[in-house]
Amino acid sequence: MPQEYKMQEALRMAILAKKNLMDFYREAAALTENQNGKKVLTRLADEVRDNAKKFYSYYKWDDLGSFEDLINSPPKADSVMLVELKKALDKNLHERRARELALKEEEDLEKTFRLAASHIIDPQVRAIFEEVARDTRNHYAIIESEYARTMAMVHETDIDTYVRE
């Protein structure tokens, strides 16, 4: 059964989802010792921040405060992503686990927004959900690539190395 979101509700959901994801990447970057991994996680946090800002520019309600206040507010203590990250690191796992969690969170977020988009009638609202899902898929690909590189797996940049004549 279609669930109808109003434009502002959809924007609010997208902004808050991006804020939680940005907080996760910032925290993971702070905890990562590998400089390349830290760079990737910081880049993802910045991209997610930019995505949130784009959605915020269309947001008309005033319940979130200014964009800078929202973005700089402390992360939600009960954020599932951050709780899982802290649990993993409490068990003395390293940044590999942070990347695995990021992959899972990006995949779950994409599924959530694609499912929601499939139930939305208003084409503008559906487009917002689909855009969040596409952004999330792009972030997943970045993390997956970095994960393969750091785990010494075949990386997309190695593709010519393994081609046989």
Side-chain angles (χ1 to χ4, degrees):
M1 173 192 287
Q3 180 174 2
E4 200 49 36
Y5 287 95
K6 292 186 171 84
M7 177 67 92
Q8 294 304 305
E9 292 169 336
L11 288 168
R12 185 176 198 284
M13 281 182 66
I15 293 163
L16 294 177
K18 293 294 185 178
K19 163 75 167 107
N20 286 337
L21 192 57
M22 183 199 70
D23 289 340
F24 172 84
Y25 285 132
R26 283 182 174 174
E27 186 70 21
L31 297 170
T32 299
E33 294 176 11
N34 176 288
Q35 288 305 307
N36 285 333
K38 187 180 289 285
K39 200 180 298 185
V40 168
L41 291 166
T42 301
R43 177 178 144 211
L44 287 167
D46 291 344
E47 284 183 16
V48 170
R49 182 188 189 283
D50 291 345
N51 294 153
K53 189 171 189 174
K54 177 176 55 179
F55 292 123
Y56 189 88
S57 70
Y58 298 108
Y59 191 63
K60 303 299 180 215
W61 295 347
D62 61 1
D63 62 315
L64 297 178
S66 75
F67 180 74
E68 291 304 320
D69 288 345
L70 173 66
I71 288 301
N72 294 320
S73 66
K76 286 175 46 179
D78 62 347
S79 165
V80 174
M81 290 183 277
L82 291 175
V83 168
E84 288 299 315
L85 177 65
K86 287 181 180 15
K87 267 199 256 179
L89 296 174
D90 285 346
K91 296 176 185 171
N92 294 320
L93 297 176
H94 51 75
E95 57 259 10
R96 183 186 95 192
R97 182 69 179 129
R99 286 188 191 93
E100 290 168 352
L101 286 169
L103 286 168
K104 181 184 179 322
E105 294 304 327
E106 290 284 0
E107 189 172 47
D108 289 349
L109 189 62
E110 179 187 12
K111 285 178 186 175
T112 299
F113 277 95
R114 286 207 188 278
L115 180 63
S118 72
H119 290 66
I120 294 174
I121 297 168
D122 184 328
Q124 288 181 313
V125 175
R126 186 174 47 250
I128 290 169
F129 280 68
E130 289 170 343
E131 185 173 347
V132 172
R134 274 192 311 276
D135 290 343
T136 301
R137 173 52 46 194
N138 292 339
H139 294 156
Y140 182 93
I142 291 167
I143 298 163
E144 186 177 46
S145 174
E146 175 65 11
Y147 183 78
R149 189 188 60 72
T150 60
M151 297 302 295
M153 301 164 94
V154 175
H155 187 263
E156 69 257 13
T157 59
D158 298 330
I159 200 71
D160 291 336
T161 306
Y162 297 102
V163 173
R164 294 182 182 212
E165 295 181 18

Short mmCIF file of all heavy atoms in Angstrom, two decimals, residues 116-158:
data_model
loop_
_atom_site.label_atom_id
_atom_site.label_comp_id
_atom_site.label_asym_id
_atom_site.label_seq_id
_atom_site.Cartn_x
_atom_site.Cartn_y
_atom_site.Cartn_z
N ALA A 116 11.16 2.70 0.34
CA ALA A 116 10.26 3.83 0.58
C ALA A 116 9.88 4.50 -0.74
O ALA A 116 8.71 4.83 -0.96
CB ALA A 116 10.92 4.83 1.52
N ALA A 117 10.86 4.68 -1.62
CA ALA A 117 10.58 5.33 -2.91
C ALA A 117 9.56 4.54 -3.73
O ALA A 117 8.71 5.12 -4.39
CB ALA A 117 11.87 5.49 -3.71
N SER A 118 9.62 3.22 -3.63
CA SER A 118 8.70 2.40 -4.42
C SER A 118 7.26 2.52 -3.94
O SER A 118 6.34 2.14 -4.66
CB SER A 118 9.15 0.94 -4.39
OG SER A 118 8.92 0.37 -3.12
N HIS A 119 7.05 3.06 -2.75
CA HIS A 119 5.71 3.19 -2.19
C HIS A 119 5.18 4.62 -2.23
O HIS A 119 4.12 4.91 -1.70
CB HIS A 119 5.70 2.72 -0.73
CG HIS A 119 5.88 1.23 -0.59
ND1 HIS A 119 7.04 0.60 -0.95
CD2 HIS A 119 5.04 0.28 -0.15
CE1 HIS A 119 6.91 -0.68 -0.72
NE2 HIS A 119 5.72 -0.91 -0.24
N ILE A 120 5.94 5.52 -2.85
CA ILE A 120 5.57 6.94 -2.85
C ILE A 120 4.94 7.32 -4.18
O ILE A 120 5.46 7.00 -5.25
CB ILE A 120 6.79 7.81 -2.51
CG1 ILE A 120 7.22 7.52 -1.07
CG2 ILE A 120 6.48 9.28 -2.70
CD1 ILE A 120 8.48 8.20 -0.65
N ILE A 121 3.84 8.03 -4.09
CA ILE A 121 3.09 8.43 -5.27
C ILE A 121 3.64 9.74 -5.86
O ILE A 121 3.85 9.84 -7.06
CB ILE A 121 1.59 8.59 -4.92
CG1 ILE A 121 1.03 7.24 -4.48
CG2 ILE A 121 0.82 9.15 -6.10
CD1 ILE A 121 -0.33 7.30 -3.83
N ASP A 122 3.88 10.72 -5.02
CA ASP A 122 4.35 12.04 -5.48
C ASP A 122 5.72 11.90 -6.14
O ASP A 122 6.69 11.50 -5.50
CB ASP A 122 4.43 12.99 -4.28
CG ASP A 122 4.81 14.40 -4.67
OD1 ASP A 122 5.57 14.59 -5.64
OD2 ASP A 122 4.35 15.33 -3.97
N PRO A 123 5.83 12.25 -7.43
CA PRO A 123 7.10 12.05 -8.13
C PRO A 123 8.26 12.88 -7.56
O PRO A 123 9.40 12.43 -7.59
CB PRO A 123 6.80 12.45 -9.57
CG PRO A 123 5.47 13.09 -9.57
CD PRO A 123 4.79 12.76 -8.29
N GLN A 124 8.00 14.07 -7.04
CA GLN A 124 9.07 14.88 -6.47
C GLN A 124 9.61 14.25 -5.19
O GLN A 124 10.81 14.21 -4.97
CB GLN A 124 8.57 16.29 -6.17
CG GLN A 124 8.36 17.12 -7.41
CD GLN A 124 7.90 18.52 -7.05
OE1 GLN A 124 7.01 18.71 -6.23
NE2 GLN A 124 8.52 19.51 -7.67
N VAL A 125 8.74 13.76 -4.36
CA VAL A 125 9.16 13.11 -3.11
C VAL A 125 9.88 11.81 -3.43
O VAL A 125 10.93 11.51 -2.86
CB VAL A 125 7.95 12.87 -2.18
CG1 VAL A 125 8.37 12.11 -0.94
CG2 VAL A 125 7.29 14.21 -1.81
N ARG A 126 9.34 11.05 -4.39
CA ARG A 126 9.99 9.80 -4.79
C ARG A 126 11.40 10.09 -5.30
O ARG A 126 12.35 9.35 -5.00
CB ARG A 126 9.16 9.09 -5.85
CG ARG A 126 9.71 7.72 -6.21
CD ARG A 126 8.84 6.92 -7.17
NE ARG A 126 8.36 7.67 -8.31
CZ ARG A 126 7.09 8.04 -8.51
NH1 ARG A 126 6.16 7.73 -7.65
NH2 ARG A 126 6.76 8.73 -9.59
N ALA A 127 11.57 11.17 -6.04
CA ALA A 127 12.88 11.54 -6.57
C ALA A 127 13.88 11.82 -5.45
O ALA A 127 15.06 11.48 -5.57
CB ALA A 127 12.75 12.75 -7.49
N ILE A 128 13.43 12.42 -4.35
CA ILE A 128 14.31 12.67 -3.21
C ILE A 128 14.81 11.35 -2.63
O ILE A 128 16.01 11.16 -2.40
CB ILE A 128 13.59 13.50 -2.12
CG1 ILE A 128 13.38 14.93 -2.60
CG2 ILE A 128 14.39 13.50 -0.81
CD1 ILE A 128 12.46 15.75 -1.73
N PHE A 129 13.90 10.42 -2.41
CA PHE A 129 14.27 9.12 -1.86
C PHE A 129 15.20 8.37 -2.81
O PHE A 129 16.16 7.73 -2.38
CB PHE A 129 13.03 8.30 -1.55
CG PHE A 129 12.36 8.69 -0.26
CD1 PHE A 129 11.73 9.92 -0.12
CD2 PHE A 129 12.36 7.82 0.82
CE1 PHE A 129 11.11 10.28 1.07
CE2 PHE A 129 11.74 8.17 2.01
CZ PHE A 129 11.12 9.41 2.14
N GLU A 130 14.93 8.44 -4.09
CA GLU A 130 15.77 7.76 -5.08
C GLU A 130 17.16 8.39 -5.13
O GLU A 130 18.16 7.69 -5.30
CB GLU A 130 15.11 7.78 -6.45
CG GLU A 130 13.90 6.86 -6.52
CD GLU A 130 13.07 7.02 -7.78
OE1 GLU A 130 13.22 8.06 -8.50
OE2 GLU A 130 12.24 6.13 -8.05
N GLU A 131 17.23 9.70 -4.97
CA GLU A 131 18.53 10.38 -4.98
C GLU A 131 19.35 9.97 -3.76
O GLU A 131 20.56 9.72 -3.87
CB GLU A 131 18.35 11.90 -5.01
CG GLU A 131 19.67 12.63 -5.14
CD GLU A 131 19.49 14.12 -5.35
OE1 GLU A 131 18.37 14.58 -5.64
OE2 GLU A 131 20.50 14.83 -5.22
N VAL A 132 18.72 9.88 -2.60
CA VAL A 132 19.43 9.42 -1.40
C VAL A 132 19.94 8.00 -1.64
O VAL A 132 21.09 7.68 -1.31
CB VAL A 132 18.52 9.47 -0.16
CG1 VAL A 132 19.20 8.81 1.04
CG2 VAL A 132 18.16 10.91 0.18
N ALA A 133 19.14 7.15 -2.23
CA ALA A 133 19.54 5.77 -2.51
C ALA A 133 20.73 5.73 -3.48
O ALA A 133 21.68 4.97 -3.28
CB ALA A 133 18.37 4.97 -3.06
N ARG A 134 20.71 6.57 -4.52
CA ARG A 134 21.83 6.62 -5.47
C ARG A 134 23.11 7.11 -4.80
O ARG A 134 24.19 6.55 -5.02
CB ARG A 134 21.49 7.54 -6.65
CG ARG A 134 20.74 6.88 -7.77
CD ARG A 134 20.69 7.76 -9.02
NE ARG A 134 20.26 9.13 -8.78
CZ ARG A 134 18.99 9.52 -8.69
NH1 ARG A 134 18.02 8.66 -8.83
NH2 ARG A 134 18.70 10.79 -8.48
N ASP A 135 23.00 8.16 -4.00
CA ASP A 135 24.17 8.67 -3.27
C ASP A 135 24.76 7.57 -2.39
O ASP A 135 25.97 7.40 -2.31
CB ASP A 135 23.80 9.86 -2.38
CG ASP A 135 23.45 11.12 -3.16
OD1 ASP A 135 23.79 11.20 -4.36
OD2 ASP A 135 22.82 12.02 -2.56
N THR A 136 23.87 6.84 -1.75
CA THR A 136 24.30 5.78 -0.85
C THR A 136 25.00 4.67 -1.63
O THR A 136 26.01 4.14 -1.20
CB THR A 136 23.07 5.23 -0.09
OG1 THR A 136 22.48 6.32 0.64
CG2 THR A 136 23.44 4.14 0.87
N ARG A 137 24.48 4.32 -2.81
CA ARG A 137 25.12 3.30 -3.66
C ARG A 137 26.52 3.75 -4.06
O ARG A 137 27.47 2.96 -4.07
CB ARG A 137 24.24 3.05 -4.89
CG ARG A 137 24.82 2.16 -5.96
CD ARG A 137 25.37 0.81 -5.58
NE ARG A 137 24.57 0.00 -4.72
CZ ARG A 137 25.02 -1.08 -4.09
NH1 ARG A 137 26.25 -1.49 -4.25
NH2 ARG A 137 24.24 -1.78 -3.30
N ASN A 138 26.69 5.04 -4.37
CA ASN A 138 28.01 5.57 -4.73
C ASN A 138 28.97 5.47 -3.56
O ASN A 138 30.14 5.12 -3.73
CB ASN A 138 27.90 7.02 -5.21
CG ASN A 138 27.18 7.13 -6.54
OD1 ASN A 138 27.08 6.18 -7.30
ND2 ASN A 138 26.65 8.31 -6.82
N HIS A 139 28.49 5.79 -2.36
CA HIS A 139 29.34 5.69 -1.18
C HIS A 139 29.73 4.24 -0.91
O HIS A 139 30.87 3.95 -0.54
CB HIS A 139 28.65 6.28 0.05
CG HIS A 139 28.43 7.75 -0.07
ND1 HIS A 139 27.45 8.41 0.62
CD2 HIS A 139 29.06 8.70 -0.80
CE1 HIS A 139 27.50 9.69 0.31
NE2 HIS A 139 28.46 9.88 -0.55
N TYR A 140 28.80 3.33 -1.12
CA TYR A 140 29.08 1.91 -0.96
C TYR A 140 30.24 1.49 -1.88
O TYR A 140 31.17 0.80 -1.47
CB TYR A 140 27.83 1.07 -1.26
CG TYR A 140 28.03 -0.41 -1.06
CD1 TYR A 140 27.72 -1.01 0.15
CD2 TYR A 140 28.53 -1.21 -2.08
CE1 TYR A 140 27.91 -2.37 0.35
CE2 TYR A 140 28.73 -2.57 -1.89
CZ TYR A 140 28.41 -3.15 -0.68
OH TYR A 140 28.61 -4.49 -0.49
N ALA A 141 30.19 1.95 -3.13
CA ALA A 141 31.23 1.60 -4.09
C ALA A 141 32.59 2.14 -3.67
O ALA A 141 33.61 1.46 -3.82
CB ALA A 141 30.85 2.12 -5.48
N ILE A 142 32.62 3.33 -3.12
CA ILE A 142 33.88 3.92 -2.65
C ILE A 142 34.45 3.09 -1.50
O ILE A 142 35.64 2.77 -1.48
CB ILE A 142 33.67 5.39 -2.22
CG1 ILE A 142 33.36 6.26 -3.44
CG2 ILE A 142 34.90 5.92 -1.47
CD1 ILE A 142 32.83 7.64 -3.10
N ILE A 143 33.61 2.75 -0.55
CA ILE A 143 34.06 1.97 0.61
C ILE A 143 34.51 0.59 0.16
O ILE A 143 35.54 0.08 0.62
CB ILE A 143 32.94 1.85 1.66
CG1 ILE A 143 32.55 3.22 2.18
CG2 ILE A 143 33.39 0.96 2.82
CD1 ILE A 143 31.21 3.22 2.90
N GLU A 144 33.75 -0.03 -0.73
CA GLU A 144 34.09 -1.36 -1.22
C GLU A 144 35.45 -1.35 -1.91
O GLU A 144 36.27 -2.25 -1.71
CB GLU A 144 33.00 -1.83 -2.19
CG GLU A 144 33.16 -3.25 -2.66
CD GLU A 144 32.02 -3.66 -3.57
OE1 GLU A 144 31.64 -2.89 -4.47
OE2 GLU A 144 31.51 -4.77 -3.34
N SER A 145 35.71 -0.32 -2.69
CA SER A 145 36.98 -0.19 -3.38
C SER A 145 38.12 -0.04 -2.37
O SER A 145 39.16 -0.71 -2.48
CB SER A 145 36.95 1.02 -4.31
OG SER A 145 38.21 1.24 -4.88
N GLU A 146 37.94 0.81 -1.39
CA GLU A 146 38.96 1.02 -0.35
C GLU A 146 39.17 -0.26 0.45
O GLU A 146 40.29 -0.62 0.79
CB GLU A 146 38.55 2.18 0.56
CG GLU A 146 39.46 2.41 1.74
CD GLU A 146 40.86 2.84 1.39
OE1 GLU A 146 41.13 3.19 0.22
OE2 GLU A 146 41.72 2.82 2.30
N TYR A 147 38.10 -0.95 0.75
CA TYR A 147 38.17 -2.20 1.51
C TYR A 147 39.00 -3.23 0.73
O TYR A 147 39.89 -3.87 1.28
CB TYR A 147 36.76 -2.72 1.78
CG TYR A 147 36.71 -3.97 2.62
CD1 TYR A 147 36.89 -3.91 4.00
CD2 TYR A 147 36.49 -5.21 2.04
CE1 TYR A 147 36.83 -5.05 4.78
CE2 TYR A 147 36.43 -6.36 2.82
CZ TYR A 147 36.60 -6.28 4.18
OH TYR A 147 36.55 -7.41 4.95
N ALA A 148 38.73 -3.37 -0.56
CA ALA A 148 39.46 -4.33 -1.39
C ALA A 148 40.94 -3.97 -1.43
O ALA A 148 41.81 -4.84 -1.32
CB ALA A 148 38.88 -4.36 -2.80
N ARG A 149 41.24 -2.70 -1.56
CA ARG A 149 42.64 -2.26 -1.62
C ARG A 149 43.36 -2.57 -0.31
O ARG A 149 44.46 -3.11 -0.31
CB ARG A 149 42.71 -0.77 -1.93
CG ARG A 149 44.13 -0.28 -2.22
CD ARG A 149 44.19 1.23 -2.33
NE ARG A 149 43.78 1.91 -1.13
CZ ARG A 149 44.48 1.96 0.01
NH1 ARG A 149 45.63 1.35 0.10
NH2 ARG A 149 44.04 2.62 1.05
N THR A 150 42.75 -2.25 0.81
CA THR A 150 43.43 -2.44 2.10
C THR A 150 43.50 -3.90 2.52
O THR A 150 44.37 -4.27 3.30
CB THR A 150 42.74 -1.64 3.23
OG1 THR A 150 41.40 -2.07 3.36
CG2 THR A 150 42.82 -0.15 2.97
N MET A 151 42.62 -4.73 1.97
CA MET A 151 42.64 -6.15 2.31
C MET A 151 43.47 -6.95 1.31
O MET A 151 43.47 -8.18 1.33
CB MET A 151 41.20 -6.70 2.35
CG MET A 151 40.33 -6.08 3.42
SD MET A 151 41.02 -6.28 5.07
CE MET A 151 40.94 -8.04 5.25
N ALA A 152 44.19 -6.26 0.44
CA ALA A 152 45.05 -6.88 -0.57
C ALA A 152 44.25 -7.80 -1.49
O ALA A 152 44.75 -8.82 -1.95
CB ALA A 152 46.22 -7.60 0.08
N MET A 153 43.00 -7.44 -1.74
CA MET A 153 42.18 -8.18 -2.68
C MET A 153 42.41 -7.59 -4.07
O MET A 153 43.03 -6.54 -4.20
CB MET A 153 40.70 -8.03 -2.30
CG MET A 153 40.38 -8.54 -0.90
SD MET A 153 38.78 -7.94 -0.32
CE MET A 153 37.76 -9.29 -0.80
N VAL A 154 41.94 -8.25 -5.09
CA VAL A 154 42.05 -7.68 -6.43
C VAL A 154 41.24 -6.40 -6.43
O VAL A 154 40.08 -6.37 -6.06
CB VAL A 154 41.53 -8.66 -7.50
CG1 VAL A 154 41.55 -7.99 -8.87
CG2 VAL A 154 42.37 -9.92 -7.50
N HIS A 155 41.89 -5.34 -6.83
CA HIS A 155 41.29 -4.00 -6.83
C HIS A 155 41.02 -3.62 -8.28
O HIS A 155 41.70 -4.09 -9.19
CB HIS A 155 42.28 -3.03 -6.17
CG HIS A 155 41.75 -1.67 -5.97
ND1 HIS A 155 41.98 -0.64 -6.85
CD2 HIS A 155 40.98 -1.14 -4.99
CE1 HIS A 155 41.39 0.45 -6.41
NE2 HIS A 155 40.78 0.18 -5.28
N GLU A 156 40.03 -2.75 -8.50
CA GLU A 156 39.69 -2.39 -9.88
C GLU A 156 40.85 -1.76 -10.63
O GLU A 156 40.94 -1.84 -11.85
CB GLU A 156 38.45 -1.48 -9.94
CG GLU A 156 38.66 -0.10 -9.40
CD GLU A 156 38.06 0.09 -8.03
OE1 GLU A 156 37.69 -0.88 -7.38
OE2 GLU A 156 37.97 1.25 -7.59
N THR A 157 41.82 -1.17 -9.92
CA THR A 157 42.98 -0.59 -10.60
C THR A 157 43.97 -1.66 -11.03
O THR A 157 44.86 -1.39 -11.81
CB THR A 157 43.69 0.44 -9.69
OG1 THR A 157 44.10 -0.23 -8.48
CG2 THR A 157 42.79 1.61 -9.37
N ASP A 158 43.80 -2.87 -10.52
CA ASP A 158 44.68 -3.98 -10.88
C ASP A 158 44.17 -4.77 -12.08
O ASP A 158 44.79 -5.73 -12.50
CB ASP A 158 44.80 -4.98 -9.72
CG ASP A 158 45.41 -4.35 -8.48
OD1 ASP A 158 46.23 -3.42 -8.65
OD2 ASP A 158 45.09 -4.79 -7.37
#
